[in-house]
Amino acid sequence: MNVAIIGLGLMGGSLAKSLRRLDFISTIVGSDHNKIHQKQAIELNLVDKIVEYDELKNCDVIFLAIPVDGIISALKNLTDVNEKTTIIDLGSTKAKIVSSVPLAIRKNFVAAHPMTGTENFGPTAAVDGLYENQVVVLCDLEHSGEKQTEVSKKIFKALGMKKYFMKASEHDRHAAFISHMPHAISYSLANTVMNQENKNNILALAAGGFRSMSRLAKSSANMWEDIFRQNKSNLLEAIELFEDELKLLKQNIKEENWEEVHKNIEAGKRLHDILD
């Protein structure tokens, strides 16, 4: 297969590194609007060359590894691809993207979300093995072509990913809780500290717990603004439910109801009985 990757940052660059190891991938070309990213992607050997849209349309598989609003725009420029071409998006939201796919290429399109990443971005953030042993969610495959479905499954299996299947609307609600809301909380936590007059003294005490919780605040503002916009309703629901939990804990602390505080902490610990 000849593969094109639009967007050569963390996700696209890491994908390129992994695809290099697959014996059924012959060439990898890339596209990125950022000239510095283009240069870095070539220097890091992430792609064989940088191409314009007209050339990448000839590839067997086109990955869209760009912010979610950009994915919608890119799809409008791919309406004349060959009927056998597979277009796979890697966006963190799915419903709005799926509903925006031009009818002419709906069979070409596969909606996917690899549940992996780091807080870093750009080609230099590309990580070997980022996708290995991670979950990829494939959405609304009944609307994708048979060939395109087979191609996407083959690639994600070869990358060592665990495949889950669901509706785009289901994905977006679930992602709001385990991905989008945590980012919103991390940004808010960082801003809470940064807005204090003595922030430098506070940050001098920063240890593992604070660093872990605020790590996501390093993530790209452009990317996460798009995600928050596209998944607004689900994100707001998740934030409101989180606020309810925080208010309950706050009230118990305020009233010195330490038995309930203890119960709340113990209940929260159950999460890692599942995750671990």
Side-chain angles (χ1 to χ4, degrees):
M1 297 179 187
N2 298 312
V3 173
I5 302 175
I6 300 177
L8 299 172
L10 167 71
M11 299 301 290
S14 299
L15 176 64
K17 281 178 171 283
S18 296
L19 291 175
R20 286 282 191 206
R21 297 196 291 268
L22 305 184
D23 57 11
F24 59 86
I25 303 296
S26 55
T27 61
I28 304 174
V29 301
S31 173
D32 196 295
H33 72 280
N34 188 313
K35 297 293 185 182
I36 296 175
H37 287 184
Q38 293 179 13
K39 184 173 182 291
Q40 291 174 334
I42 293 295
E43 291 174 347
L44 294 168
N45 194 35
L46 299 179
V47 296
D48 298 312
K49 62 178 179 177
I50 301 296
V51 299
E52 299 297 330
Y53 264 60
D54 286 344
E55 185 172 349
L56 66 81
K57 289 177 184 178
N58 297 320
C59 291
D60 301 304
V61 183
I62 302 171
F63 282 97
L64 305 179
I66 50 181
V68 289
D69 282 359
I71 290 171
I72 293 174
S73 297
L75 289 168
K76 296 176 182 177
N77 294 318
L78 297 173
T79 54
D80 56 345
V81 297
N82 186 284
E83 64 178 11
K84 295 182 180 179
T85 301
T86 300
I87 303 171
I88 304 173
D89 93 285
L90 305 182
S92 296
T93 64
K94 293 274 76 86
K96 189 171 181 180
I97 291 173
V98 166
S99 66
S100 301
V101 181
L103 185 60
I105 55 171
R106 185 61 189 89
K107 292 292 185 182
N108 297 90
F109 181 75
V110 175
H113 181 197
M115 305 298 293
T116 186
T118 74
E119 68 277 14
N120 302 311
F121 49 95
T124 58
V127 178
D128 275 313
L130 182 70
Y131 294 84
E132 190 173 353
N133 294 321
Q134 302 301 314
V135 167
V136 59
V137 182
L138 301 174
C139 297
D140 298 351
L141 285 182
E142 66 272 16
H143 300 299
S144 302
E146 183 177 349
K147 175 181 175 58
Q148 286 76 13
T149 298
E150 291 176 357
V151 166
S152 63
K153 287 181 178 179
K154 177 179 180 179
I155 291 175
F156 288 123
K157 180 180 179 180
L159 292 176
M161 302 201 76
K162 294 171 279 191
K163 299 182 292 294
Y164 283 77
F165 307 93
M166 63 183 68
K167 295 288 186 183
S169 57
E170 290 179 302
H171 165 276
D172 284 4
R173 187 170 189 276
H174 300 334
F177 283 90
I178 54 89
S179 177
H180 306 167
M181 178 182 66
H183 276 81
I185 292 170
S186 188
Y187 289 124
S188 298
L189 174 65
N191 287 328
T192 299
V193 173
M194 293 302 292
N195 288 333
Q196 304 307 305
E197 291 181 4
N198 56 348
K199 59 179 178 292
N200 290 330
N201 287 339
I202 295 173
L203 292 172
L205 305 180
F210 179 81
R211 291 182 182 276
S212 295
M213 289 192 66
S214 62
R215 176 181 59 83
L216 297 177
K218 292 173 64 177
S219 302
S220 166
N222 290 334
M223 180 176 76
W224 281 96
E225 178 191 345
D226 287 358
I227 292 169
F228 288 175
R229 184 188 303 111
Q230 284 203 16
N231 204 24
K232 174 184 172 182
S233 60
N234 288 310
L235 175 59
L236 287 175
E237 179 193 4
I239 290 175
E240 287 166 4
L241 290 171
F242 172 75
E243 288 174 336
D244 290 343
E245 286 292 332
L246 192 58
K247 286 177 183 176
L248 177 62
L249 179 59
K250 176 185 174 182
Q251 187 67 25
N252 285 326
I253 292 173
K254 184 177 180 180
E255 296 175 356
E256 298 189 1
N257 191 345
W258 304 119
E259 183 178 348
E260 289 302 315
V261 170
H262 184 86
K263 288 180 180 179
N264 189 271
I265 294 171
E266 285 292 343
K269 288 172 60 179
R270 292 180 302 173
L271 170 67
H272 283 274
D273 292 338
I274 299 172
L275 291 180
D276 296 341

